[in-house]
Amino acid sequence: MLIKTLIVGDFQCNNYLVVCEDTHEAALIDAGGDYDATMLEVRKANAKLKYVLHTHGHLDHIPGDIELKAKAGAKIFIHQADQFLVDKFKDQLMMFGLPDMEIPVVDEYVEDGQIIKVGNLELKVIHTPGHSPGSVCYLVENHLFSGDTLFKDSVGRTDLPGGSYEQLGKSIVNRLFTLGDEVNVYPGHGAPTTIGHEKRNNPFFGKKQL
């Protein structure tokens, strides 16, 4: 498995290209934009982009969908509970003073516990509401793509529509902190971390606070 980090868009969103090196199939975790830079990494990996797997529907994670779907043929996946955010994509752009764009078209909704196969890799969907109602994480082997649910020494904001601090805490403590300490965490922004580090040190829901 190859994991490549791409930092793209106005909000410096972390996108992750996950490639099965046996079959050269790939998935992109979130799509912050910059089609050319994204596809350059796909070509470098000698890969075929099969899916865009969204962790949630906020405007910094979905603007790359239109081109990736139209030009690369990638299928767009998201949790149904965040479809309302996709529908309000233009409103989100307007709120932050960004140029108007087309509303992405979702191909399939993911569900908690679902296994998405990329070649012989299996990505498990973990529903983690709180940052948004449809926030999910993707677990493949000992690598967790946490979106904006869990950051290094921080957590996602909950003051946007559909956010809930109580739900976020339950998602992190009951769904993520039950994973092994050795699991690598790749967040939607900022540096990577591990489950063990966050269990011990996270100032919001780590052991120092519980």
Side-chain angles (χ1 to χ4, degrees):
M1 175 173 52
L2 171 69
I3 299 173
K4 175 68 179 180
T5 304
L6 299 86
I7 304 174
V8 297
D10 295 302
F11 297 89
Q12 294 292 278
C13 179
N14 289 341
N15 296 175
Y16 299 99
L17 184 67
V18 181
V19 181
C20 174
E21 294 182 282
D22 292 334
T23 66
H24 302 286
E25 290 182 340
L28 184 69
I29 312 294
D30 289 322
D34 202 335
Y35 175 83
D36 291 338
T38 300
M39 293 310 296
L40 176 61
E41 295 302 330
V42 173
R43 290 192 294 273
K44 283 182 179 179
N46 191 29
K48 166 65 177 176
L49 185 61
K50 190 174 182 180
Y51 304 129
V52 175
L53 305 177
H54 284 301
T55 60
H56 63 293
H58 286 148
L59 80 163
D60 50 335
H61 291 254
I62 65 174
D65 285 353
I66 298 297
E67 284 191 288
L68 290 169
K69 184 181 178 73
K71 296 180 180 180
K75 291 187 175 182
I76 311 300
F77 287 38
I78 201 168
H79 194 282
Q80 188 171 9
D82 267 16
Q83 179 65 53
F84 84 102
L85 291 172
V86 178
D87 293 340
K88 293 182 177 296
F89 182 48
K90 289 177 178 288
D91 294 339
Q92 293 190 65
L93 292 168
M94 187 181 302
M95 184 187 305
F96 286 90
L98 297 174
D100 188 39
M101 295 178 63
E102 291 182 51
I103 295 176
V105 176
V106 174
D107 292 295
E108 188 172 326
Y109 296 127
V110 299
E111 297 179 352
D112 184 57
Q114 179 179 350
I115 301 296
I116 300 170
K117 291 189 176 183
V118 180
N120 56 23
L121 299 177
E122 294 188 346
L123 284 76
K124 181 180 180 180
V125 179
I126 304 174
H127 186 206
T128 53
H131 178 63
S132 69
S135 284
V136 301
C137 301
Y138 296 96
L139 179 68
V140 52
E141 298 178 359
N142 69 328
H143 305 291
L144 180 79
F145 300 95
S146 63
D148 289 4
T149 295
L150 181 64
F151 299 123
K152 183 176 182 181
D153 298 326
S154 189
V155 298
R157 62 189 294 180
T158 57
D159 58 337
L160 296 172
S164 166
Y165 188 78
E166 181 180 0
Q167 275 194 323
L168 183 71
K170 289 179 179 178
S171 292
I172 291 172
V173 173
N174 298 332
R175 305 304 308 278
L176 301 186
F177 283 177
T178 55
L179 302 174
D181 285 4
E182 75 284 356
V183 170
N184 300 302
V185 178
Y186 300 87
H189 303 272
T193 183
T194 65
I195 290 295
H197 175 86
E198 298 311 313
K199 284 169 64 176
R200 293 187 297 270
N201 301 292
N202 192 281
F204 294 90
F205 300 112
K207 288 182 179 178
K208 292 179 180 178
Q209 298 300 315
L210 298 178

